[in-house]
Amino acid sequence: MNDAHLSLIQQLCTRLAEIDNTPLYVKFAETVKFAVRTGVLHQGDMLPSERELGQQTGVSRITVRKALELLEQEGVIIRSQGYGTQISDKFEYSLKEAKGFSQQVVLLGKKPNTLWVNKSIVPCSQEVAESLALPINSDVFMLKRIRYVDEQPVSIEESYVPIGLIGDVDDIGLSLYDYFRSQNIYPTRTKSKVSARMPDEDFQTHIKLEKTVPVLVIKQVAFDHKNVPIEYSFNQCRSDMYVFVSEE
């Protein structure tokens, strides 16, 4: 058993021994996710077998299997018969939490980056106007950027923000949400719609891939603590790099 597996087993034993009302399989799954986020486990790492995990942690194989099923559903692991269980190389992104891309990437122990393509004022379309509760053709900031995780381009995002919420657009650095918080604007929830399509010319121009993969299109509205819409975003994301989670 390698050092990563030993550290994982130690974390599992500690968490499983804690007395609370959380089911054992949920504790198990949460601990594996924490190990990924803190760098104990990395993308592509293999996990010990169900039998080994059960023996080393003192829980039943039924509990281990249930935890692994949960992790597989959430896209954290990939299980292959005859090969084993591997940490997924996809990026898990929550559609529920209004934390913003950069913060979620950092919490997963990864490195975010942003390449700005455009920061400009444009008249809003009907779709943007309805999402932001503005009159059609109202001026809004359009912020277009390419998102990176660990130096790999993963998405192209366009954000539309009411003009009154941004003072100097050049003050926006890596994260729009960090800028919001610096202005005492606090995103608290989001509403999202997800669909799939093949990448268009714009996507292929900015994100060059060795092979054509489907693109996940996420249209999302972010709201502040008063339930006022503060951002409408149109995101095109690589389906081979993302796993989206939308908990109730």
Side-chain angles (χ1 to χ4, degrees):
M1 188 172 289
N2 60 36
D3 290 344
H5 288 175
L6 290 172
S7 296
L8 173 63
I9 294 299
Q10 184 177 21
Q11 290 183 10
L12 284 167
C13 290
T14 299
R15 179 67 182 104
L16 292 168
E18 293 176 355
I19 300 174
D20 56 45
N21 294 325
T22 307
L24 286 178
Y25 79 95
V26 175
K27 289 183 180 181
F28 196 109
E30 288 176 345
T31 304
V32 173
K33 287 193 287 186
F34 180 76
V36 175
R37 290 170 182 167
T38 55
V40 172
L41 296 173
H42 300 89
Q43 294 177 344
D45 283 354
M46 300 299 297
L47 290 181
S49 67
E50 288 184 9
R51 179 179 59 82
E52 289 177 304
L53 287 170
Q55 289 177 344
Q56 294 294 326
T57 60
V59 299
S60 70
R61 287 187 66 174
I62 294 175
T63 297
V64 174
R65 188 173 296 120
K66 195 170 182 180
L68 295 179
E69 288 173 353
L70 178 60
L71 289 167
E72 186 175 34
Q73 291 171 5
E74 294 182 352
V76 179
I77 63 172
I78 299 171
R79 294 195 294 171
S80 303
Q81 189 172 2
Y83 181 68
T85 302
Q86 183 179 30
I87 300 299
S88 173
D89 59 358
K90 294 188 178 183
F91 164 55
E92 181 182 315
Y93 185 88
S94 174
L95 292 174
K96 178 184 178 183
E97 300 178 87
K99 290 181 178 177
F101 175 89
S102 298
Q103 186 177 358
Q104 292 202 51
V105 172
V106 170
L107 289 173
L108 290 172
K110 301 178 185 295
K111 180 183 177 181
N113 205 352
T114 295
L115 174 63
W116 288 101
V117 177
N118 192 2
K119 296 178 180 178
S120 59
I121 296 175
V122 299
C124 64
S125 65
Q126 181 174 345
E127 182 177 5
V128 174
E130 290 176 353
S131 299
L132 294 176
L134 296 172
I136 298 175
N137 292 324
S138 296
D139 283 345
V140 293
F141 278 105
M142 191 277 281
L143 310 171
K144 184 174 181 177
R145 65 273 205 198
I146 302 172
R147 296 290 204 178
Y148 292 80
V149 175
D150 290 341
E151 308 303 327
Q152 291 194 66
V154 297
S155 64
I156 299 176
E157 300 186 9
E158 293 181 11
S159 291
Y160 297 86
V161 179
I163 195 168
L165 299 184
I166 296 177
D168 187 345
V169 72
D170 291 330
D171 287 339
I172 303 172
L174 181 66
S175 168
L176 172 61
Y177 280 22
D178 282 350
Y179 174 82
F180 277 154
R181 285 185 279 268
S182 74
Q183 304 299 306
N184 296 317
I185 301 168
Y186 299 98
T188 56
R189 74 176 183 90
T190 59
K191 181 180 179 182
S192 307
K193 293 182 180 179
V194 182
S195 59
R197 73 182 189 194
M198 297 308 293
D200 59 17
E201 184 177 350
D202 180 64
F203 188 90
Q204 293 175 314
T205 297
H206 289 96
I207 299 182
K208 295 178 173 59
L209 303 175
E210 293 183 2
K211 60 179 181 179
T212 301
V213 297
V215 171
L216 295 174
V217 178
I218 297 89
K219 297 181 179 182
Q220 187 175 80
V221 184
F223 300 85
D224 68 8
H225 67 289
K226 295 181 180 179
N227 208 35
V228 176
I230 58 175
E231 178 206 19
Y232 172 76
S233 60
F234 177 83
N235 308 323
Q236 301 178 75
C237 307
R238 289 175 53 173
S239 61
D240 63 334
M241 293 290 293
Y242 272 82
V243 171
F244 289 96
V245 180
S246 182
E247 308 94 335
E248 292 298 328

